Amino acid sequence: MLTADMIGFEGIGAEYATFVGPEGLDSTVEGAVVKMDSTSKVALAGSDDVFHGVIIKVEKDEALGVQIGGYVEVVYNGTTAPTVGWCKLSANSVNGVKVDDVNGREYLVVTVNTTDKIVGFFLR
């Protein structure tokens, strides 16, 4: 019998782009959510910000590989865990996401790991 833990979403609809990011970032920010700034660069998203992608790889010369579409898994925090289905998310203060009914944007959440605090959803 097929169970939900036998299904994987990795790679579905994945779209990537390379952006210029801020100076001084290293691999510790891989997996962090980012937003676009007014100069078409990306910056780490701050608390309550709408985010536009997830850093996949920090390259040399401030280049960042950013996933801008498809399935991603990101750390979440906050008092409320995301729910499977349409859920409003915004950036949190530690490079991940949180449930945010006021400032958040709706994403299709398909997995929630409450032990490790990881949410899987589709960027669009």
Side-chain angles (χ1 to χ4, degrees):
M1 177 197 271
L2 187 64
T3 61
D5 61 338
M6 298 169 133
I7 302 296
F9 299 100
E10 291 79 8
I12 295 176
E15 296 176 330
Y16 304 94
T18 302
F19 292 94
V20 176
E23 290 184 35
L25 295 183
D26 60 27
S27 62
T28 61
V29 298
E30 291 173 0
V33 293
V34 294
K35 64 179 182 176
M36 297 292 301
D37 71 15
S38 62
T39 64
S40 297
K41 295 180 180 182
V42 294
L44 295 174
S47 186
D48 300 328
D49 282 345
V50 170
F51 55 92
H52 304 116
V54 178
I55 298 174
I56 300 303
K57 182 74 175 160
V58 176
E59 304 287 350
K60 62 181 181 175
D61 299 325
E62 288 83 48
L64 299 176
V66 177
Q67 186 170 350
I68 57 172
Y71 178 78
V72 294
E73 291 184 344
V74 178
V75 174
Y76 73 87
N77 73 358
T79 56
T80 304
T83 55
V84 170
W86 292 105
C87 185
K88 287 188 174 184
L89 303 173
S90 70
N92 65 25
S93 59
V94 289
N95 298 334
V97 299
K98 65 181 177 182
V99 173
D100 186 341
D101 289 330
V102 175
N103 301 304
R105 180 175 171 194
E106 280 194 325
Y107 295 93
L108 179 58
V109 172
V110 293
T111 62
V112 179
N113 177 332
T114 56
T115 302
D116 297 325
K117 293 207 165 202
I118 297 173
V119 58
F121 59 95
F122 286 92
L123 291 168
R124 51 185 175 102

